[in-house]
Amino acid sequence: MRNYLKALKRCTAVGAIALAGFSLQPGSAQAADPGPRPGPGVVGGTRAAQGEFPWMVRLSMGCGGALYTRQIVLTAAHCVNGSGANTSITATAGVVDLNSSQAVKVKSTQVLQAPGYNGTGKDWALIKLAKPVDLPTLKIADTPAYNQGDFTIAGWGAASEGGGQQRYLLKATVPFVDDATCQGAYGGSLTPAEEICAGYLDTGGVDTCQGDSGGPMFRKDDSGAWTEVGIVSWGQGCARPGYPGVYTEVSTFASDIKSAAASLGG
């Protein structure tokens, strides 16, 4: 298990969320984060345009996610507590402004946390919604071919370490950081076969942060389609030089995610 005093999961407890103008609906599926957090989008980001990333989802426990199907959200395992029936989570989709009257809000019915998840690696989970939403979905990488280059990150989490959650969806670009370099930064805490790193190692300044957990890291594939290559997982602080963001390596778990989604029937 990682030292959570240093390496913090990027989810925000419901009680810590403070955002002028609205409040996220609390639920019983609290983030399974045993350590302290800097507090309740994306550091160094800019506003995303309405409809730019239509598969982005905000979850009421203080995490992000992406529509894997129109009725299933892919998020991080540490954002949920185990698997089973769960009607406490509200997914908000279809907007970049969480205050928008056009927001689509749907309750959860089931949660499936990655089998064998114990806080290290395997940081993915699926949330089945009560009904399908009429929005595009984000396909996942089923090959490591796209685990390189520059990636896009997006979320409604803190825009600075220790900052508050954001009303508007923010986006940024981060470059790939190889496993050996990332492993060195985190003193051996990385699980290379299951995690992928990205960020500006020398300068910092751009990163996901608390409240972005579970959201996608994505890039264009060879056909020009957006493809999810990572799931926001953890990091030391936010956007600190020398400490890239750590993401679940989606291609490693693509077949598991596909099978799990089929079992949910969504």
Side-chain angles (χ1 to χ4, degrees), residues 34-218:
R37 291 172 283 271
V42 169
V43 179
T46 58
R47 283 193 193 179
Q50 176 62 32
E52 187 173 4
F53 309 125
W55 20 258
M56 287 292 301
V57 175
R58 180 67 174 173
L59 298 169
S60 57
M61 80 286 278
C63 282
L67 289 171
Y68 175 73
T69 71
R70 292 190 173 188
Q71 199 169 355
I72 294 176
V73 176
L74 176 60
T75 187
H78 75 265
C79 287
V80 300
N81 276 336
S83 301
N86 188 320
T87 59
S88 69
I89 302 168
T90 300
T92 300
V95 294
V96 294
D97 177 3
L98 294 178
N99 267 358
S100 172
S101 61
Q102 303 302 309
V104 177
K105 295 180 181 289
V106 185
K107 286 285 189 179
S108 61
T109 59
Q110 286 181 273
V111 171
L112 195 158
Q113 189 181 59
Y117 174 73
N118 64 0
T120 301
K122 297 181 178 64
D123 196 7
W124 64 269
L126 298 176
I127 298 172
K128 185 175 182 180
L129 305 178
K131 61 181 180 180
V133 293
D134 188 18
L135 289 167
T137 58
L138 178 62
K139 72 174 187 175
I140 64 172
D142 57 8
T143 167
Y146 302 113
N147 294 349
Q148 58 185 321
D150 290 338
F151 308 115
T152 300
I153 51 176
W156 289 272
S160 62
E161 187 172 324
Q165 302 295 283
Q166 301 299 297
R167 170 178 170 177
Y168 297 97
L169 181 67
L170 298 181
K171 64 175 182 176
T173 301
V174 287
F176 170 72
V177 174
D178 67 84
D179 288 346
T181 302
C182 195
Q183 187 81 290
Y186 285 109
S189 293
L190 190 72
T191 308
E194 300 181 359
E195 295 174 322
I196 180 174
C197 302
Y200 294 92
L201 199 67
D202 293 337
T203 61
V206 182
D207 198 6
T208 49
C209 201
Q210 271 57 54
D212 289 324
S213 278
M217 179 172 75
F218 47 99

